[in-house]
Structures are given as C-alpha cells and as structure tokens.
Amino acid sequence: MTTPDVLPTTDVTRAEPDGPRARLTRVARSVHVDRRFLPVLGALVVLVLMFVVGGVRYENFLSGRVVSNLFINNSYLIVLAVGMTFVIITGGIDLSVGAVVALSGITAASLFESGWPAFVVIPLVILIGSALGLVVGVMVRVFEIQPFIATLAAMFLARGLCYVISLSSIPITDPTIVWLSSTRIPLGETWTLTPSGIIALVVVAVAFYVLHYTRFGRTVYAIGGGESSAVLMGLPVARTKVLVYVISGTCAGIGGFLFSIFSRSGYSLTGVGMELDAIAAVVIGGTLLTGGSGFVLGSVLGVLVLGLIQTIITFQGTLSSWWTKIFIGVLLLAFVVLQRAIAARRR
Amino acid sequence: MTAWKTFVGTKIFWPVMALVALLVANTVKTTNFVNIRVQDGHLFGALIDILRNSSPLLLVAVGMTLVIATRGIDLSVGAVVAISGAVACSYIASSSNPTGVVTVLTAVAIAAVLSLVLGAWNGFLVAVVGIQPIIATLVLMTAGRGIAMLITGGQITTINSPPYKMIGSGFWLAVPVAVLIAGSLFAIVAVVTRRTALGMLIESVGINPQASRLAGVQARTIIWTVYAIAGLFAGIAGLMISSNVMAADANNAGLFIELDAILAVVIGGTSLAGGKFSLAGTLVGVLVIQTLTLTVTILGVPPAVTPLFKAVVVIAVCIMQSPVVRNRLASRRRIPVVAPVPAKVGA
C-alpha cells in the first residue's frame, strides 16, 4: 500500500538535485511514515523515553538484566495481548482471557497434583483455552450475542469453573515445570532468556506471520474494516470470526501455562483484571478498538511499556503501588487522544 | 390470551421466566422463603434482603441503561463506587464530629458532586473529544481505583457514624432506606424519560448521533448528561456499599459491579447496540442477578462458584433472546404465514 505522497519526491529531486532545500525535503520525505504507523511509533517513543529517564535517574537501570526481566516477567501478558490483537482488529473484544489464564493454571496444578505427566497436561490446558474460545466464537457468530457479553459470560464461566476445581492455591512440583521455571539461558554477560520468554517470542513470530502474511490475516483486517464489505467480497467471514476467538482463547491457554511456570502454582484468583491490562497494552500499541487497524508488534510494545512502568516504580521505591494504576490510566488517555487526533487529521 | 401472547413475544419474557424459576426453586428448597415478617417495626425476610442487596446494583444499572441507550458503555462505575465511598469515609473519619448529621450530609454531598464530576469527565471524553465509550471509560476504570487508594492512603478506612449507617442498613417506615433511595431514583428516571421526550431523544442519539443532531437534538448535551448521571448514581451506590460495611475498601468496593450492571441491562433486553432501552427490563435483570446470588447461598453451594451459575443464566437468556432462536420460535408459532427472511448481510 504505497501512498501517493511518494510520487512527488522524485519530481522535486529531479528539478533541484543539489539545492539545500531539496535535500531537506528529501530527508523529510524519507522519514515520512505511513499514518497507520504513527500510534505504534508513539508507543516506541514513550518506551525509549522511559528507558532514557530511567537510565538517567537510576543506577543499573539500563542493563541487560532489566530488559531481560521485562520480557520474562511479562511473557504471559505478551501472549495474551497478541491474541487480543486479532479479536480487536475484527472489532470485537475478549474479556475472558484473565479468567482463562486462571482456569488453565489451576487445571494444570490440580492435574499435576494427581500425578498426570507434563506432556499430557500442557497441551490439555492450552486446549481448554481453545475450547472456551470456540464456545465464545459460536455465541458471537451463530447467536449474534455481542462479543462484550459473550466473553463476559465466558469470563464468569471460567472463573466459576476455577472455584469448582479448587478454592485454594495449589503448588506445582512437577519436574518439567520446575525445570522450565528455573532454567536461565545466558545470552552474553547480563542478558538472559527463559523458556517462557522463548515461548512468548515464538507466539509473537507465528502471530506476526499469520496476521500480516496470510489470507486469514487479511480477512481479519477486512472484517474490522467493514464486515458487510468483507461478506460481499466473498471472504470467509463466519469462519474467521469464530477463529479469532479460538486464537485468543488458545493464547489465553498458553498464557495460563506461562503464568503457572512463572508462579509455580495454580490459583483461582490469578489474572483478575489481566484482560484489562491486555486491552490497555493493545490500545497503547496502536490498535484501534473500532477494528481494522493494528499490529502484533505494537501490542508487544504496549506490554513492554506497561511492564516498564512497573519496573520504574519498583526502582523508585518510594512510590506506592497504586501509582501504577494511575500512570497506566494517564498513559492510556494520552494514547487514545493521540489516536483520535490522527484519525481526525485523516478525515 | 392475546395479552399473554404479546408478553411472550417481548424481550422481557425470558428474564421474567428466569426470575420466576429462581423464586420457585428457592421456595421449594426453603418453604419460608417468601415469608416477610415484621420485627422491631422493620420488614425482614429473604425477599426484602434481595431488594436491599439489589439497591446499589439497581442504581448503577439504571445509569448504565441510559448510557447504553446512547450506544455507549461505562466501565468506570466500579471505580466511581470505590472513589465515592473512599471520599465519604475519609471525610467522616477525619472530621471532628463523625457522628454528626451535618458531617454526614457534607460527606454525602462531596462524594455525590465528585461522582457527578467524574461522570461528566467520561461524558467530556465521549461527547467532545470523540473517544469510543469503552476506551474512554477504561481510562477512569484503570486510574480510578488508584485514585481511591490515594484517598484512603492504601488503608481500609473504617468509620463509626450512625447517621451514615442509615444509608445502607437503616429503615424508614419499616422499609430499608437503601430500597427507598434506589426505588425513588428509579421512579424519577422512569417518569422523566418516559413521560417527557427525553427518553426518545436519548434513543435517537443511540440510533444515529449525526442524524439526531441534524434533526435538532442536542446530541452532545444528552451524551454528556447520561454519563454524568451514571457517575452520580454510581457514587450514590458507593455510599450505600461503604455504609453497609461502614468502611471504604478502595480495592474491593464495587469490584465487577460494572460487569453485573451491564449484564443486568442486557438480561433486561436492552441491546448494547443502543437506540432502545427498557428500565423495567433492567429492574428484572438486577433482581435476577441478586436472586441468583442468594439462591446459590441457599442451595449450599460455596458462594465463590456463583459466577458459574451467572454464566449459565446469562448464556441461556442471551441465546433465548438471540435473533436465530427468536425467529425459529416465531416461525413455529405462526406456521401459515411465511415469515420473510431478512437478508443477512454482514450479520
């Protein structure tokens, strides 16, 4: 999708190849970016600014350890945000992911407790997420229940099932999970990576490919851009609409698995409000909640921004934890106003 | 019979059936369920309990109904509940005369005005800045609890003030004060929206803001007003909730009340797509949710499992109300008439 703005560039350079003014224009044109990328760039700028401010204010802030921890501690949220991106691009929303994280986590813990092997449990808990996603997709597609309500019902369903399984926290002692949670792969001197970080990166890579380079991904954008048009174009709208919820559910299942590695336990109350973090990350990452526009990598940036707020507050030490919420709210406001301004200029 | 047939055809039919089924189930389980007795000049009984526990939710849901009628949504009401309780309790706790009526009235006034302002802030973001309602109110939802924590200093502020206690658990003329407050506000809203043109204007804004503006409706003012009212009602609900326990808990007061309110509205047959609303439906929806909560307790199921039952009821009611099922039921009822199948473009 090349913008028409590109064409005049060549004309100007041909007319005045060496004038200082032309050179300036050429530089300006070469850094000109598609407006669609502006919100993502905004997130990137905020992230860099936060790193700079943190690096100036605190010792040891700009270290491989901080960045590595940012990835490791937020791996589950990255996966959730990636799944959420698909749903939001179609113009839907998924409120159930936090509860699904808790459900797959506590299912894993309780199955491990009764001695099931890891190679059965891990796929099973991920499939729980897919199954719930399928239920939501059918509710949205066949019964035309609004995504907000359908996923809200799924959230209550998953949360209720958690309490049926166990009311208290169950520790996980399975050797595979223990290995996954304690393994550190050193990269260079201070950088490290964990298996959960690798899983998150793989999910991001797969999602990036699927959303931006496949026919399915194009259909996702088309539905968000205008569902009736997508139907008239002969795109498989029904199938795609169900599938995005399956994807989001699967990602929530993987997220639950990652969270159980992270916390080495399963608990019914984990992930309360996690869906809002995921939605906030997606919005900060430049995806429009009206659908039709957004990027997987933007959502990853969004998660990193949220994670960095937490890190900075930890480094500061004197700020109480509730400032995190206020900062996230303010940042969210700034980003939606920015998006709004961009959308207004486009018109 | 025709009246019954009309009733069966309305959207409120299934929610009412759900409510009746719940009440019957309770009466079968405990025979004195429907008994209402007078003790110390106060009304007592399970039904009175349901009404009293419904009061805060009813207030929030009435505000939510108006917001949803304009095709909006307000996720921030839970946070406003927490802020309002925090402000009132902190003011009373820090005053020199916590038991004085003037102190309590001042606290109530401050909390109510602040909630109105917070609601108006949402209205400003939606009506003037033009941000989508879900994300505009997500800002306050995220930041709001942080603000409430800021007000209470992260503590649970407990107070001892009999006049304040009246709001949540007092009685006046044998009826709980909370029921009187919620009931009279409900009646005022019902009369103002249905006996004047206001209700129709709100619906016209929900159907098409641009068209209604061109037709001379002050769309902006109406949107602004409904969010302000939703904020005010959430604030009053927050006073009730904090007065009930005589404490302000910034983290847990009104947690998920926005979701319950949205559920109540949807169960009552008001579509999230806006343009139509039914206050009676919302009342039924609220009663269904509260009766369900009480039923779970009566049946001896751990209260934590309530979400599961909520999910089942929501899914059942939504599926029964969905176009697919309604068309099928309708076509079965009048077989001779061939129902015109609407062209399903983009459905």
mmCIF file of all heavy atoms in Angstrom, chain B residues 99-125:
data_model
loop_
_atom_site.group_PDB
_atom_site.id
_atom_site.type_symbol
_atom_site.label_atom_id
_atom_site.label_comp_id
_atom_site.label_asym_id
_atom_site.label_seq_id
_atom_site.Cartn_x
_atom_site.Cartn_y
_atom_site.Cartn_z
ATOM 1 N N THR B 99 -20.092 11.581 64.228
ATOM 2 C CA THR B 99 -21.460 11.096 64.375
ATOM 3 C C THR B 99 -22.490 12.177 64.046
ATOM 4 O O THR B 99 -23.684 11.910 64.056
ATOM 5 C CB THR B 99 -21.703 10.600 65.814
ATOM 6 O OG1 THR B 99 -21.372 11.662 66.701
ATOM 7 C CG2 THR B 99 -20.855 9.391 66.125
ATOM 8 N N GLY B 100 -22.028 13.391 63.746
ATOM 9 C CA GLY B 100 -22.959 14.481 63.475
ATOM 10 C C GLY B 100 -23.654 14.327 62.129
ATOM 11 O O GLY B 100 -23.069 13.830 61.168
ATOM 12 N N VAL B 101 -24.918 14.758 62.103
ATOM 13 C CA VAL B 101 -25.694 14.656 60.867
ATOM 14 C C VAL B 101 -25.121 15.589 59.799
ATOM 15 O O VAL B 101 -25.040 15.233 58.617
ATOM 16 C CB VAL B 101 -27.180 14.991 61.139
ATOM 17 C CG1 VAL B 101 -27.968 14.982 59.838
ATOM 18 C CG2 VAL B 101 -27.767 13.998 62.123
ATOM 19 N N VAL B 102 -24.679 16.787 60.240
ATOM 20 C CA VAL B 102 -24.134 17.751 59.283
ATOM 21 C C VAL B 102 -22.895 17.182 58.603
ATOM 22 O O VAL B 102 -22.722 17.283 57.385
ATOM 23 C CB VAL B 102 -23.815 19.079 60.007
ATOM 24 C CG1 VAL B 102 -23.212 20.082 59.020
ATOM 25 C CG2 VAL B 102 -25.066 19.648 60.655
ATOM 26 N N THR B 103 -22.019 16.564 59.415
ATOM 27 C CA THR B 103 -20.813 15.956 58.858
ATOM 28 C C THR B 103 -21.175 14.955 57.776
ATOM 29 O O THR B 103 -20.599 14.944 56.683
ATOM 30 C CB THR B 103 -20.028 15.221 59.972
ATOM 31 O OG1 THR B 103 -19.984 16.051 61.108
ATOM 32 C CG2 THR B 103 -18.659 14.846 59.506
ATOM 33 N N VAL B 104 -22.153 14.086 58.104
ATOM 34 C CA VAL B 104 -22.524 13.027 57.167
ATOM 35 C C VAL B 104 -23.111 13.628 55.895
ATOM 36 O O VAL B 104 -22.766 13.225 54.777
ATOM 37 C CB VAL B 104 -23.509 12.052 57.831
ATOM 38 C CG1 VAL B 104 -24.087 11.101 56.807
ATOM 39 C CG2 VAL B 104 -22.815 11.285 58.938
ATOM 40 N N LEU B 105 -23.968 14.638 56.069
ATOM 41 C CA LEU B 105 -24.573 15.260 54.885
ATOM 42 C C LEU B 105 -23.506 15.916 54.009
ATOM 43 O O LEU B 105 -23.553 15.818 52.782
ATOM 44 C CB LEU B 105 -25.626 16.294 55.312
ATOM 45 C CG LEU B 105 -26.942 15.704 55.826
ATOM 46 C CD1 LEU B 105 -27.910 16.809 56.205
ATOM 47 C CD2 LEU B 105 -27.564 14.780 54.801
ATOM 48 N N THR B 106 -22.522 16.572 54.663
ATOM 49 C CA THR B 106 -21.428 17.180 53.897
ATOM 50 C C THR B 106 -20.663 16.100 53.136
ATOM 51 O O THR B 106 -20.360 16.259 51.951
ATOM 52 C CB THR B 106 -20.460 17.927 54.834
ATOM 53 O OG1 THR B 106 -21.230 18.626 55.806
ATOM 54 C CG2 THR B 106 -19.594 18.883 54.060
ATOM 55 N N ALA B 107 -20.350 15.003 53.827
ATOM 56 C CA ALA B 107 -19.602 13.915 53.195
ATOM 57 C C ALA B 107 -20.373 13.388 51.991
ATOM 58 O O ALA B 107 -19.808 13.172 50.908
ATOM 59 C CB ALA B 107 -19.360 12.794 54.199
ATOM 60 N N VAL B 108 -21.685 13.190 52.171
ATOM 61 C CA VAL B 108 -22.514 12.677 51.081
ATOM 62 C C VAL B 108 -22.505 13.665 49.914
ATOM 63 O O VAL B 108 -22.358 13.276 48.746
ATOM 64 C CB VAL B 108 -23.955 12.426 51.583
ATOM 65 C CG1 VAL B 108 -24.895 12.191 50.415
ATOM 66 C CG2 VAL B 108 -23.976 11.242 52.537
ATOM 67 N N ALA B 109 -22.622 14.950 50.245
ATOM 68 C CA ALA B 109 -22.658 15.955 49.179
ATOM 69 C C ALA B 109 -21.345 15.977 48.414
ATOM 70 O O ALA B 109 -21.336 16.001 47.174
ATOM 71 C CB ALA B 109 -22.946 17.332 49.783
ATOM 72 N N ILE B 110 -20.211 15.936 49.159
ATOM 73 C CA ILE B 110 -18.901 15.962 48.490
ATOM 74 C C ILE B 110 -18.773 14.757 47.561
ATOM 75 O O ILE B 110 -18.405 14.883 46.385
ATOM 76 C CB ILE B 110 -17.758 15.951 49.528
ATOM 77 C CG1 ILE B 110 -17.760 17.248 50.330
ATOM 78 C CG2 ILE B 110 -16.415 15.774 48.841
ATOM 79 C CD1 ILE B 110 -16.755 17.246 51.460
ATOM 80 N N ALA B 111 -19.135 13.577 48.082
ATOM 81 C CA ALA B 111 -18.994 12.357 47.286
ATOM 82 C C ALA B 111 -19.893 12.423 46.050
ATOM 83 O O ALA B 111 -19.479 12.044 44.952
ATOM 84 C CB ALA B 111 -19.342 11.134 48.132
ATOM 85 N N ALA B 112 -21.125 12.928 46.232
ATOM 86 C CA ALA B 112 -22.058 12.972 45.107
ATOM 87 C C ALA B 112 -21.565 13.931 44.031
ATOM 88 O O ALA B 112 -21.570 13.603 42.835
ATOM 89 C CB ALA B 112 -23.446 13.389 45.594
ATOM 90 N N VAL B 113 -21.084 15.113 44.467
ATOM 91 C CA VAL B 113 -20.602 16.095 43.485
ATOM 92 C C VAL B 113 -19.389 15.539 42.754
ATOM 93 O O VAL B 113 -19.279 15.636 41.523
ATOM 94 C CB VAL B 113 -20.267 17.431 44.180
ATOM 95 C CG1 VAL B 113 -19.516 18.348 43.228
ATOM 96 C CG2 VAL B 113 -21.534 18.100 44.673
ATOM 97 N N LEU B 114 -18.480 14.889 43.505
ATOM 98 C CA LEU B 114 -17.280 14.343 42.879
ATOM 99 C C LEU B 114 -17.655 13.267 41.855
ATOM 100 O O LEU B 114 -17.107 13.227 40.745
ATOM 101 C CB LEU B 114 -16.351 13.760 43.955
ATOM 102 C CG LEU B 114 -15.014 13.252 43.418
ATOM 103 C CD1 LEU B 114 -14.207 14.407 42.843
ATOM 104 C CD2 LEU B 114 -14.214 12.563 44.506
ATOM 105 N N SER B 115 -18.622 12.395 42.208
ATOM 106 C CA SER B 115 -19.031 11.350 41.266
ATOM 107 C C SER B 115 -19.640 11.961 40.018
ATOM 108 O O SER B 115 -19.405 11.491 38.901
ATOM 109 C CB SER B 115 -20.052 10.412 41.891
ATOM 110 O OG SER B 115 -19.818 10.231 43.229
ATOM 111 N N LEU B 116 -20.416 13.038 40.223
ATOM 112 C CA LEU B 116 -21.032 13.728 39.090
ATOM 113 C C LEU B 116 -19.939 14.281 38.171
ATOM 114 O O LEU B 116 -20.011 14.154 36.948
ATOM 115 C CB LEU B 116 -21.930 14.855 39.601
ATOM 116 C CG LEU B 116 -22.861 15.514 38.592
ATOM 117 C CD1 LEU B 116 -23.951 14.547 38.194
ATOM 118 C CD2 LEU B 116 -23.476 16.773 39.167
ATOM 119 N N VAL B 117 -18.895 14.850 38.798
ATOM 120 C CA VAL B 117 -17.796 15.407 38.009
ATOM 121 C C VAL B 117 -17.074 14.302 37.251
ATOM 122 O O VAL B 117 -16.752 14.439 36.064
ATOM 123 C CB VAL B 117 -16.812 16.171 38.933
ATOM 124 C CG1 VAL B 117 -15.541 16.529 38.186
ATOM 125 C CG2 VAL B 117 -17.474 17.415 39.483
ATOM 126 N N LEU B 118 -16.831 13.159 37.922
ATOM 127 C CA LEU B 118 -16.149 12.054 37.255
ATOM 128 C C LEU B 118 -16.983 11.545 36.080
ATOM 129 O O LEU B 118 -16.453 11.247 35.009
ATOM 130 C CB LEU B 118 -15.885 10.915 38.252
ATOM 131 C CG LEU B 118 -14.812 11.210 39.296
ATOM 132 C CD1 LEU B 118 -14.751 10.093 40.314
ATOM 133 C CD2 LEU B 118 -13.458 11.385 38.629
ATOM 134 N N GLY B 119 -18.307 11.454 36.282
ATOM 135 C CA GLY B 119 -19.189 11.052 35.192
ATOM 136 C C GLY B 119 -19.134 12.048 34.051
ATOM 137 O O GLY B 119 -19.058 11.667 32.879
ATOM 138 N N ALA B 120 -19.125 13.344 34.404
ATOM 139 C CA ALA B 120 -19.061 14.376 33.374
ATOM 140 C C ALA B 120 -17.744 14.305 32.612
ATOM 141 O O ALA B 120 -17.693 14.559 31.409
ATOM 142 C CB ALA B 120 -19.233 15.752 33.999
ATOM 143 N N TRP B 121 -16.682 13.925 33.301
ATOM 144 C CA TRP B 121 -15.371 13.740 32.648
ATOM 145 C C TRP B 121 -15.477 12.669 31.572
ATOM 146 O O TRP B 121 -15.017 12.858 30.441
ATOM 147 C CB TRP B 121 -14.333 13.388 33.710
ATOM 148 C CG TRP B 121 -13.110 12.672 33.212
ATOM 149 C CD1 TRP B 121 -12.833 11.345 33.339
ATOM 150 C CD2 TRP B 121 -11.985 13.241 32.521
ATOM 151 N NE1 TRP B 121 -11.621 11.063 32.770
ATOM 152 C CE2 TRP B 121 -11.078 12.205 32.262
ATOM 153 C CE3 TRP B 121 -11.682 14.531 32.099
ATOM 154 C CZ2 TRP B 121 -9.874 12.407 31.592
ATOM 155 C CZ3 TRP B 121 -10.478 14.728 31.429
ATOM 156 C CH2 TRP B 121 -9.586 13.681 31.183
ATOM 157 N N ASN B 122 -16.122 11.537 31.897
ATOM 158 C CA ASN B 122 -16.363 10.495 30.895
ATOM 159 C C ASN B 122 -17.157 11.056 29.733
ATOM 160 O O ASN B 122 -16.848 10.815 28.572
ATOM 161 C CB ASN B 122 -17.149 9.329 31.503
ATOM 162 C CG ASN B 122 -16.280 8.437 32.353
ATOM 163 O OD1 ASN B 122 -15.082 8.337 32.109
ATOM 164 N ND2 ASN B 122 -16.872 7.802 33.335
ATOM 165 N N GLY B 123 -18.217 11.830 30.082
ATOM 166 C CA GLY B 123 -19.057 12.413 29.053
ATOM 167 C C GLY B 123 -18.261 13.353 28.165
ATOM 168 O O GLY B 123 -18.434 13.363 26.944
ATOM 169 N N PHE B 124 -17.344 14.106 28.778
ATOM 170 C CA PHE B 124 -16.490 15.019 28.010
ATOM 171 C C PHE B 124 -15.646 14.237 27.003
ATOM 172 O O PHE B 124 -15.583 14.578 25.823
ATOM 173 C CB PHE B 124 -15.596 15.798 28.985
ATOM 174 C CG PHE B 124 -14.475 16.555 28.337
ATOM 175 C CD1 PHE B 124 -14.718 17.734 27.656
ATOM 176 C CD2 PHE B 124 -13.178 16.080 28.407
ATOM 177 C CE1 PHE B 124 -13.678 18.428 27.051
ATOM 178 C CE2 PHE B 124 -12.137 16.769 27.811
ATOM 179 C CZ PHE B 124 -12.392 17.944 27.129
ATOM 180 N N LEU B 125 -15.009 13.143 27.484
ATOM 181 C CA LEU B 125 -14.161 12.348 26.588
ATOM 182 C C LEU B 125 -14.977 11.789 25.430
ATOM 183 O O LEU B 125 -14.528 11.746 24.288
ATOM 184 C CB LEU B 125 -13.494 11.204 27.361
ATOM 185 C CG LEU B 125 -12.363 11.579 28.305
ATOM 186 C CD1 LEU B 125 -11.760 10.329 28.909
ATOM 187 C CD2 LEU B 125 -11.285 12.358 27.576
#
